[in-house]
Amino acid sequence: MSGYILEMNEISKSFTGVKALSNVNFKVRKGEIHCLIGENGAGKSTLMKVLSGVYPYGTYEGDIVFEGSVQQFNKISDSVQTGIVIIYQELALFPDLTVYENIFVGNEVKRGNLVDWNKTIAEAKKMLKRVGLDVSPETLVKDLSVGKQQLVEIAKALSKDVKLLILDEPTAALNEDDSENLLKLLGELKKQGITSIMISHKLKEVISIADQATVLRDGKTICTLDGSSGEISENMIIKNMVGRDIEDIYPKRPHKKIGETILELNNWSAYSTELARHVLRDIDFHVKKGEIVGIAGLMGSGRTELALSVFGNPKNYKLEGQLKVLGVEKTFKHTSDAIKSGIAYVTEDRKGDGLFLIQDIKNNITAANLNAVADKGIINENEEVKRATEYKRSMYIKASSLEQTVGNLSGGNQQKVSLGKWLFVGPKLLILDEPTRGIDVGAKFEIYTIMNQLISEGMSIIMISSELGEVLGMSDRVYVMAEGRMKGELPIEEANQENIMQLATQ
Amino acid sequence: MGFINEARTLVKENIRDYGMYIALFVIMLTFSIMTDGLFMSSRNISNLLDSTGYIAVLAVGMTLVIVIRHIDLSVGFAAGFLGAIAAILLTKMGLPVYVTIPVILVLGIFIGLFNGLLIAKYAIPSFVATLAGMLIFRGALLQVTEKTGTIIIKDDAFNAIGNGFIPSLMIVNGLHLLSLILGLLSILFYIYSEISTRRNKIKYQFDVVSKGIFTFKLVFVSAIIAYVTWILAGYNGFSWTVVIMLLVVVAYHFLTTKTVLGRHIYAVGSNPEAAHLSGINVNKITYMVFGSMGMLAALSGILFTSRLQSATTTAGTLFELDAIAAAYVGGVSSAGGVGKVTGAIIGAIVMASLSSGMNLLGVGVSMQYMIRGGVLVAAVLFDVITRKKRG
């Protein structure tokens, strides 16, 4: 542990008057794994963009010292040449190209002016071995799981002689197995002398892997915690992140009032013609009024497919079995039928298929139920603004006005808009798919609070989540899925991490 | 002081919307100066608007098609073909005008729905589906006019659509009285609707612009309506083409800004998957937008055929591209979800003004094409830059 490989000194950066970073100090020792933590909007991404040259030298104040010399990056390729590579949460791979093409894209192995494909493939094999990925370099990237794609990204970074590897929430989209693999790999790379910076919201990971952890809040460095002296603990991190102690991340509900069965599935199966296989098989499932039902399982276990098959079947699966809403058998031809029956679905991919990013908050909130503010098909805009304002307030959406474009909001606020849009429909049953993915602790707490409030008002919630802590902390009952089947149902008193994982990996 | 600052921030925030109007104003002013006022003469403006009509209605429909991330290349020859069918119905079959026009409009809707079916149900890219339509209608137009060549229409009522003017009732000081009355009514309606919107907003305690700015806007817009009315009244008054064009704009503007259907169209344009998951029937919206496009193509065919008083073998050539250009000058975005109907009309008028002005100046056709191309690029560039700035 000799000296620092990277020192960012007194970095400040403003956007049209708003200070995103003020006098941030961030020091990374050579050969360590350093975690960067903070709520959304704390300035982590901005800091990494300054480091990688996305914001060129001169647009920020302060110094970047890398391996002892001050760096002046004008573009991303400058930082890459120096040995700093960032892997973003949204992977930058070409799905229709092969693994070896992806690894060497922009960094082609040449003989003269032509690409030497044989050597490329040979080199790619070496890189894949280093990251422990056992696939043929000729596989198309789109045929790999997200976890393996992530490894391809790392292989790509290694091919560029990386000295400092920066990972932006690398495990956000991974299941527990893949996450563990990835963390192990980071340990391996550390032995090979590669320094890593990891941005993460998952505190357990941080605790298990970090040599040091720096916490940012409101664009300022709050502290740097040292792993060797045992300073990195959940309590310490949360306290520094939010600037207050959170007694319990999962707020308690005062009392449960469980009522009649809202939704019931019997022998429910779904066949996808696109994938030419069953995505769901023989599912028995029910939700009662006033309860939160958690659905745990690994990625690809069929949880989202289950939600979609119930919510008007937008993927056109061939469905079999029985679906009952309040005891009456139903067939939904379109999502609008499901909505009419009182079901709402908050998607896991809020940017992809949840929100209208170029539209404002108001239009997003009212999108699924415009008729509530319209008379004979004509919108009463004043009424619309009034209603949307109420939701903005009750969802704690932080924005300067209702006219703000949703694409410019932080992840947590986008999720609240998404939630608000569905509450505006007034559903009886709310299906939340990964409700807190990629959002910070503060916003998480607010969303849990909203969920509890909805339950106390008599709504029912199905919560699909990959975070076991969340499943255990929020649910009244837990279902576990694997390979399109319901593997088990656990009352919350009996559920724990071990038995859930055991069912999920059966 | 406060007034100027408020005005400045308003312009800054709405630069994209105002940019088009400013561009139109600059173009008109430049041509007026260069032609010693001939450009703004009653006769020229009247002609200019009449010759824009058949492109403007297409541009309105095209804007919505582009908003939902599609394109329709078939509208030009569909308009030509439907115009020829109209001519045949009127001359060979001897049908009266009041039967012919609805029949043609309904035919247009069917053509549009068929395009919509290929695109929505069978997922054929709209570029390909409507390119096929373009070839088919071009062939169909040649087929129906093959034996006769140009079909001359002698029906006065039909020809009036593209050439006639609304009756004047009486001429006052050389001005067209009914047009003046219509102009006055639109000003009153405009002022009334603005004031009632403002009252409503105040009732709900929303922010409104200050009284000064509000009055200024009322006076400014009223003055423009009055000026245009005055110019047109000095020639033959409002033509039927202008009246039809205005009706289309008002109807579509209302549809797109005030109705649930309109909001759904923009929702589908900004994110089709999210729209589907919000319970919006994306296919139905696609049918409706293409159906409306077909109807407007039929209307365009009627306007053009009537203006020429005949159906020709080449009618409709390149209309679709003129309409697409007008829509883009009017601020539509191919990424979907962005674009206004009023923009499309302004875009069409900008393009027509360029042609008209350059004709008056005696600029050659070759230069005209190049200049119009340049303006198209400049308009879209302006759009892209201002959008980036606002993030």
Side-chain angles (χ1 to χ4, degrees), chain B residues 76-148:
Chain B
F77 283 112
F81 170 68
L82 289 169
I85 295 292
I88 290 169
L89 290 181
L90 287 167
T91 56
K92 304 254 167 71
M93 319 275 280
L95 288 183
V97 177
Y98 57 83
V99 177
T100 305
I101 291 178
V103 167
I104 295 297
L105 291 179
V106 169
L107 265 180
I109 293 177
F110 276 114
I111 287 177
L113 287 178
F114 182 71
N115 279 336
L117 186 76
L118 292 179
I119 293 157
K121 181 133 191 242
Y122 298 104
I124 298 178
S126 54
F127 192 96
V128 178
T130 60
L131 182 63
M134 174 179 167
L135 296 172
I136 290 167
F137 294 122
R138 182 170 203 172
L141 171 61
L142 288 174
Q143 177 114 44
V144 296
T145 53
E146 201 171 32
K147 286 189 190 133
T148 47

XYZ file of all heavy atoms in Angstrom, chain B residues 76-148:
536
model
N -48.451 11.839 -51.350
C -48.413 12.646 -52.567
C -49.240 12.028 -53.679
O -50.199 12.634 -54.187
N -48.887 10.813 -54.047
C -49.623 10.190 -55.141
C -51.006 9.731 -54.728
O -51.901 9.639 -55.566
C -48.809 9.050 -55.755
C -47.714 9.567 -56.646
C -46.384 9.423 -56.300
C -48.025 10.256 -57.812
C -45.374 9.935 -57.099
C -47.028 10.773 -58.608
C -45.698 10.613 -58.262
N -51.189 9.462 -53.409
C -52.545 9.173 -52.943
C -53.419 10.402 -53.208
O -54.555 10.278 -53.699
C -52.551 8.830 -51.464
N -52.879 11.600 -52.935
C -53.621 12.838 -53.200
C -53.892 12.966 -54.701
O -55.010 13.271 -55.120
C -52.843 14.041 -52.691
N -52.865 12.718 -55.506
C -53.030 12.804 -56.957
C -54.088 11.835 -57.455
O -54.988 12.196 -58.236
N -54.000 10.597 -56.975
C -54.930 9.556 -57.401
C -56.351 9.893 -56.990
O -57.298 9.828 -57.785
C -54.478 8.219 -56.780
C -55.459 7.097 -56.933
C -55.727 6.555 -58.187
C -56.113 6.573 -55.824
C -56.628 5.520 -58.329
C -57.024 5.535 -55.957
C -57.287 5.013 -57.213
N -56.518 10.295 -55.719
C -57.862 10.609 -55.230
C -58.422 11.827 -55.958
O -59.630 11.904 -56.228
C -57.838 10.830 -53.718
C -57.606 9.550 -52.904
C -57.317 9.864 -51.445
C -58.816 8.623 -53.012
N -57.547 12.787 -56.304
C -57.985 13.942 -57.095
C -58.530 13.482 -58.446
O -59.573 13.966 -58.917
N -57.823 12.525 -59.059
C -58.268 12.014 -60.357
C -59.599 11.289 -60.228
O -60.487 11.427 -61.069
C -57.209 11.072 -60.932
N -59.740 10.506 -59.128
C -61.018 9.808 -58.904
C -62.132 10.842 -58.748
O -63.232 10.689 -59.305
C -60.936 8.927 -57.629
C -59.909 7.809 -57.816
C -62.306 8.333 -57.295
C -60.294 6.767 -58.826
N -61.833 11.925 -58.018
C -62.831 12.988 -57.855
C -63.246 13.531 -59.222
O -64.439 13.712 -59.507
C -62.274 14.107 -56.984
N -62.238 13.761 -60.068
C -62.532 14.292 -61.407
C -63.404 13.321 -62.185
O -64.354 13.729 -62.875
C -61.217 14.545 -62.145
N -63.101 12.027 -62.092
C -63.890 11.029 -62.816
C -65.321 10.983 -62.287
O -66.287 10.964 -63.059
C -63.220 9.639 -62.699
C -61.924 9.633 -63.511
C -64.160 8.536 -63.191
C -61.053 8.435 -63.277
N -65.462 11.012 -60.954
C -66.799 10.987 -60.365
C -67.614 12.181 -60.844
O -68.799 12.071 -61.150
C -66.720 10.996 -58.828
C -66.184 9.726 -58.154
C -66.190 9.871 -56.643
C -67.000 8.500 -58.561
N -66.961 13.337 -60.914
C -67.677 14.569 -61.292
C -68.021 14.588 -62.771
O -69.135 14.948 -63.163
C -66.824 15.797 -60.959
C -66.701 16.162 -59.489
C -65.597 17.174 -59.286
C -68.020 16.717 -58.964
N -67.062 14.198 -63.614
C -67.282 14.344 -65.055
C -67.932 13.114 -65.681
O -68.979 13.210 -66.312
C -65.956 14.627 -65.781
O -65.036 13.570 -65.475
C -65.373 15.947 -65.340
N -67.332 11.925 -65.459
C -67.849 10.726 -66.121
C -69.131 10.223 -65.475
O -70.081 9.836 -66.144
C -66.800 9.606 -66.066
C -65.470 9.991 -66.667
C -65.261 9.311 -68.019
C -64.098 9.928 -68.764
N -62.792 9.591 -68.165
N -69.122 10.199 -64.114
C -70.282 9.634 -63.430
C -71.337 10.711 -63.179
O -72.459 10.386 -62.828
C -69.868 9.042 -62.070
C -68.573 8.294 -62.075
S -68.740 6.586 -62.590
C -69.334 5.871 -61.089
N -70.955 11.943 -63.333
C -71.915 13.027 -63.160
C -72.423 13.190 -61.736
O -73.531 13.677 -61.520
N -71.623 12.761 -60.755
C -72.055 12.929 -59.361
C -71.921 14.400 -58.953
O -71.015 15.090 -59.402
C -71.193 12.079 -58.429
C -71.394 10.571 -58.457
C -70.502 9.914 -57.422
C -72.848 10.215 -58.188
N -72.823 14.862 -58.092
C -72.705 16.252 -57.630
C -71.541 16.402 -56.637
O -71.069 15.418 -56.068
C -74.048 16.509 -56.937
C -74.558 15.160 -56.591
C -74.026 14.206 -57.608
N -71.126 17.639 -56.444
C -69.975 17.923 -55.574
C -70.200 17.420 -54.161
O -69.311 16.819 -53.559
C -69.708 19.443 -55.530
C -68.559 19.752 -54.581
C -69.414 19.960 -56.906
N -71.430 17.667 -53.650
C -71.657 17.326 -52.245
C -71.636 15.818 -51.992
O -71.582 15.378 -50.856
C -72.955 17.968 -51.725
C -74.195 17.617 -52.503
C -74.875 16.428 -52.257
C -74.681 18.473 -53.492
C -76.008 16.109 -52.980
C -75.799 18.148 -54.217
C -76.481 16.953 -53.964
O -77.579 16.616 -54.683
N -71.714 15.007 -53.049
C -71.535 13.565 -52.876
C -70.062 13.212 -53.085
O -69.466 12.449 -52.316
C -72.410 12.770 -53.887
C -72.128 11.269 -53.727
C -73.872 13.067 -53.653
N -69.468 13.793 -54.119
C -68.081 13.463 -54.466
C -67.129 13.684 -53.298
O -66.342 12.803 -52.967
C -67.628 14.336 -55.648
O -68.567 14.159 -56.709
C -66.251 13.933 -56.118
N -67.210 14.859 -52.667
C -66.221 15.193 -51.635
C -66.249 14.215 -50.456
O -65.209 13.651 -50.111
C -66.402 16.663 -51.174
C -65.975 17.558 -52.335
C -65.562 16.962 -49.934
C -66.134 19.026 -52.091
N -67.437 13.937 -49.889
C -67.420 12.946 -48.795
C -66.908 11.582 -49.260
O -66.172 10.914 -48.520
C -68.889 12.854 -48.375
C -69.550 14.053 -48.911
C -68.762 14.537 -50.075
N -67.272 11.161 -50.463
C -66.815 9.864 -50.964
C -65.287 9.830 -51.019
O -64.640 8.878 -50.551
C -67.412 9.572 -52.355
C -66.691 8.392 -53.012
C -68.902 9.275 -52.247
N -64.703 10.897 -51.555
C -63.236 10.949 -51.677
C -62.576 10.957 -50.296
O -61.590 10.261 -50.060
C -62.818 12.212 -52.472
C -63.325 12.117 -53.911
C -61.308 12.407 -52.455
C -62.751 10.966 -54.694
N -63.160 11.733 -49.369
C -62.571 11.790 -48.029
C -62.610 10.411 -47.362
O -61.648 9.978 -46.737
C -63.310 12.816 -47.162
C -63.126 14.290 -47.561
C -63.922 15.202 -46.635
C -61.651 14.682 -47.534
N -63.734 9.709 -47.540
C -63.860 8.382 -46.934
C -62.862 7.413 -47.584
O -62.192 6.632 -46.897
C -65.303 7.855 -47.061
C -65.370 6.382 -46.674
C -66.227 8.671 -46.183
N -62.735 7.513 -48.927
C -61.729 6.693 -49.617
C -60.341 6.951 -49.027
O -59.568 6.015 -48.788
C -61.702 7.051 -51.104
C -62.529 6.193 -52.058
C -62.378 6.709 -53.475
C -62.085 4.734 -51.963
N -60.050 8.218 -48.801
C -58.755 8.603 -48.224
C -58.553 7.950 -46.864
O -57.482 7.407 -46.571
N -59.613 7.975 -46.039
C -59.514 7.355 -44.712
C -59.186 5.870 -44.852
O -58.325 5.332 -44.142
C -60.828 7.553 -43.924
C -61.009 9.036 -43.597
C -60.820 6.725 -42.632
C -62.304 9.370 -42.897
N -59.840 5.211 -45.810
C -59.583 3.783 -45.998
C -58.138 3.520 -46.418
O -57.500 2.587 -45.936
C -60.563 3.173 -47.000
C -61.859 2.783 -46.368
C -63.047 3.427 -46.696
C -61.894 1.786 -45.398
C -64.237 3.086 -46.079
C -63.074 1.438 -44.771
C -64.259 2.085 -45.120
N -57.652 4.347 -47.328
C -56.248 4.185 -47.746
C -55.332 4.320 -46.536
O -54.435 3.508 -46.317
C -55.895 5.243 -48.814
C -56.574 4.875 -50.132
C -54.383 5.349 -48.993
C -56.358 5.876 -51.245
N -55.591 5.344 -45.709
C -54.775 5.561 -44.517
C -54.866 4.394 -43.552
O -53.860 3.937 -43.004
N -56.084 3.888 -43.350
C -56.265 2.767 -42.430
C -55.525 1.536 -42.922
O -54.978 0.767 -42.145
C -57.760 2.448 -42.269
C -58.553 3.452 -41.455
C -60.024 3.051 -41.409
C -58.005 3.571 -40.040
N -55.506 1.355 -44.255
C -54.787 0.213 -44.807
C -53.291 0.337 -44.509
O -52.656 -0.630 -44.057
C -55.033 0.112 -46.316
C -54.346 -1.073 -46.936
C -54.790 -2.361 -46.689
C -53.226 -0.901 -47.738
C -54.148 -3.453 -47.237
C -52.573 -1.986 -48.291
C -53.041 -3.265 -48.041
N -52.744 1.524 -44.715
C -51.342 1.760 -44.316
C -51.147 1.442 -42.843
O -50.191 0.778 -42.453
C -50.960 3.228 -44.547
C -50.601 3.498 -45.998
O -50.206 2.587 -46.725
N -50.763 4.736 -46.415
N -52.076 1.950 -42.022
C -51.995 1.735 -40.580
C -52.005 0.255 -40.236
O -51.278 -0.203 -39.356
N -52.814 -0.504 -40.965
C -52.912 -1.949 -40.729
C -51.569 -2.627 -40.992
O -51.083 -3.421 -40.184
C -53.982 -2.536 -41.646
C -54.321 -4.006 -41.449
C -55.177 -4.163 -40.203
C -55.059 -4.566 -42.649
N -50.965 -2.286 -42.132
C -49.663 -2.889 -42.471
C -48.633 -2.550 -41.400
O -47.825 -3.389 -41.004
C -49.166 -2.360 -43.814
C -49.943 -2.783 -45.057
C -49.335 -2.147 -46.293
C -49.948 -4.298 -45.197
N -48.692 -1.313 -40.921
C -47.655 -0.831 -40.009
C -47.892 -1.322 -38.585
O -46.981 -1.839 -37.942
C -47.606 0.711 -40.058
C -47.106 1.151 -41.435
C -46.725 1.270 -38.954
C -47.515 2.542 -41.824
N -49.143 -1.198 -38.108
C -49.412 -1.544 -36.712
C -49.551 -3.055 -36.539
O -48.933 -3.645 -35.665
C -50.675 -0.837 -36.232
N -50.349 -3.676 -37.388
C -50.652 -5.084 -37.159
C -49.529 -5.982 -37.651
O -49.146 -6.944 -36.984
C -51.965 -5.424 -37.866
C -52.397 -6.866 -37.671
C -53.857 -6.972 -37.301
C -54.189 -8.381 -36.848
N -55.186 -9.012 -37.714
N -49.005 -5.688 -38.848
C -48.006 -6.583 -39.417
C -46.575 -6.081 -39.223
O -45.635 -6.676 -39.728
C -48.298 -6.827 -40.896
C -49.631 -7.503 -41.079
C -50.738 -6.788 -41.515
C -49.795 -8.852 -40.759
C -51.977 -7.395 -41.647
C -51.025 -9.459 -40.881
C -52.123 -8.728 -41.332
O -53.335 -9.336 -41.437
N -46.444 -4.949 -38.523
C -45.123 -4.440 -38.136
C -44.191 -4.221 -39.327
O -42.984 -4.411 -39.245
C -44.457 -5.354 -37.113
N -44.757 -3.834 -40.481
C -43.910 -3.457 -41.605
C -43.442 -2.025 -41.349
O -44.251 -1.163 -41.002
C -44.704 -3.506 -42.923
C -45.177 -4.943 -43.163
C -43.869 -3.012 -44.094
C -46.010 -5.097 -44.401
N -42.141 -1.741 -41.494
C -41.686 -0.360 -41.257
C -42.478 0.614 -42.126
O -42.718 0.331 -43.294
C -40.220 -0.399 -41.673
C -39.821 -1.824 -41.587
C -41.048 -2.627 -41.881
N -42.876 1.756 -41.513
C -43.761 2.668 -42.238
C -43.091 3.184 -43.503
O -43.753 3.416 -44.514
C -44.153 3.833 -41.334
O -42.997 4.448 -40.813
N -41.769 3.323 -43.468
C -41.061 3.814 -44.656
C -41.305 2.879 -45.836
O -41.617 3.309 -46.942
C -39.554 3.893 -44.350
C -38.758 4.646 -45.367
C -38.465 5.980 -45.178
C -38.325 4.026 -46.528
C -37.743 6.688 -46.121
C -37.606 4.727 -47.478
C -37.310 6.066 -47.269
N -41.197 1.578 -45.571
C -41.362 0.582 -46.634
C -42.828 0.473 -47.062
O -43.148 0.515 -48.252
C -40.845 -0.785 -46.163
C -41.045 -1.835 -47.232
C -39.384 -0.686 -45.767
N -43.723 0.366 -46.067
C -45.139 0.194 -46.379
C -45.649 1.346 -47.230
O -46.358 1.142 -48.224
C -45.950 0.077 -45.092
N -45.275 2.577 -46.851
C -45.822 3.721 -47.580
C -45.040 3.983 -48.858
O -45.559 4.606 -49.783
C -45.831 4.987 -46.702
O -44.502 5.294 -46.296
C -46.698 4.782 -45.474
N -43.787 3.506 -48.932
C -43.056 3.588 -50.201
C -43.771 2.714 -51.234
O -43.961 3.116 -52.390
C -41.615 3.110 -50.011
C -40.706 3.182 -51.226
C -40.517 4.621 -51.668
C -39.343 2.559 -50.931
N -44.194 1.536 -50.780
C -44.974 0.664 -51.659
C -46.249 1.369 -52.080
O -46.621 1.369 -53.265
C -45.294 -0.642 -50.940
N -46.913 2.025 -51.106
C -48.140 2.757 -51.407
C -47.890 3.838 -52.452
O -48.678 4.027 -53.382
N -46.753 4.530 -52.317
C -46.397 5.594 -53.255
C -46.337 5.041 -54.678
O -46.895 5.612 -55.613
C -45.053 6.168 -52.839
C -44.461 7.174 -53.763
S -42.877 7.696 -53.004
C -42.166 8.537 -54.374
N -45.661 3.881 -54.841
C -45.552 3.270 -56.166
C -46.922 2.849 -56.683
O -47.272 3.086 -57.843
C -44.618 2.052 -56.102
C -43.172 2.367 -55.737
C -42.385 1.091 -55.500
C -42.527 3.189 -56.835
N -47.699 2.244 -55.780
C -49.023 1.748 -56.191
C -49.918 2.894 -56.649
O -50.549 2.827 -57.701
C -49.675 0.971 -55.019
C -48.907 -0.341 -54.801
C -51.148 0.693 -55.303
C -49.245 -1.043 -53.501
N -49.945 3.992 -55.864
C -50.841 5.089 -56.231
C -50.349 5.838 -57.472
O -51.133 6.365 -58.234
C -51.039 6.048 -55.057
C -51.764 5.412 -53.930
C -51.219 5.341 -52.662
C -53.008 4.823 -54.152
C -51.886 4.716 -51.637
C -53.685 4.185 -53.130
C -53.110 4.130 -51.861
N -49.045 5.858 -57.636
C -48.520 6.487 -58.842
C -49.014 5.711 -60.061
O -49.485 6.286 -61.042
C -46.997 6.478 -58.806
C -46.408 7.156 -60.013
C -44.911 7.366 -59.873
N -44.541 8.453 -60.754
C -43.348 9.012 -60.778
N -42.411 8.588 -59.954
N -43.088 9.980 -61.620
N -48.913 4.362 -59.956
C -49.413 3.501 -61.031
C -50.905 3.674 -61.225
O -51.394 3.821 -62.346
N -51.624 3.703 -60.088
C -53.077 3.815 -60.165
C -53.490 5.133 -60.823
O -54.419 5.167 -61.641
C -53.671 3.719 -58.766
N -52.768 6.202 -60.497
C -53.056 7.506 -61.097
C -52.865 7.453 -62.617
O -53.711 7.918 -63.387
C -52.147 8.578 -60.482
C -52.173 9.962 -61.133
C -53.561 10.570 -61.049
C -51.181 10.896 -60.458
N -51.758 6.835 -63.036
C -51.509 6.718 -64.481
C -52.585 5.874 -65.140
O -53.080 6.196 -66.220
C -50.120 6.091 -64.718
C -48.941 7.007 -64.405
C -47.630 6.252 -64.541
C -48.968 8.218 -65.339
N -52.958 4.794 -64.450
C -53.965 3.887 -65.001
C -55.288 4.608 -65.267
O -55.847 4.509 -66.351
C -54.198 2.756 -64.011
C -55.280 1.790 -64.424
C -54.707 0.427 -64.714
O -53.889 -0.075 -63.975
N -55.117 -0.156 -65.820
N -55.775 5.369 -64.255
C -57.103 5.971 -64.429
C -57.068 7.162 -65.387
O -58.107 7.568 -65.907
C -57.747 6.403 -63.091
C -57.995 5.197 -62.210
C -56.901 7.441 -62.383
N -55.879 7.708 -65.607
C -55.828 8.851 -66.533
C -55.221 8.433 -67.879
O -54.986 9.265 -68.740
C -54.977 10.002 -65.944
O -53.702 9.482 -65.578
C -55.647 10.629 -64.745
N -54.968 7.126 -68.044
C -54.247 6.631 -69.212
C -54.965 6.954 -70.525
O -54.368 7.481 -71.470
C -54.075 5.111 -69.088
C -52.950 4.549 -69.917
C -52.710 3.087 -69.570
O -53.685 2.397 -69.213
O -51.547 2.649 -69.651
N -56.253 6.667 -70.546
C -56.987 6.814 -71.805
C -57.290 8.265 -72.109
O -57.227 8.698 -73.262
C -58.298 6.024 -71.726
C -58.028 4.528 -71.845
C -59.317 3.760 -72.001
C -59.028 2.275 -71.857
N -59.953 1.613 -70.962
N -57.607 9.009 -71.047
C -58.088 10.370 -71.272
C -56.983 11.419 -71.202
O -57.139 12.510 -71.726
C -59.128 10.728 -70.202
O -58.590 10.339 -68.944
C -60.423 10.009 -70.445
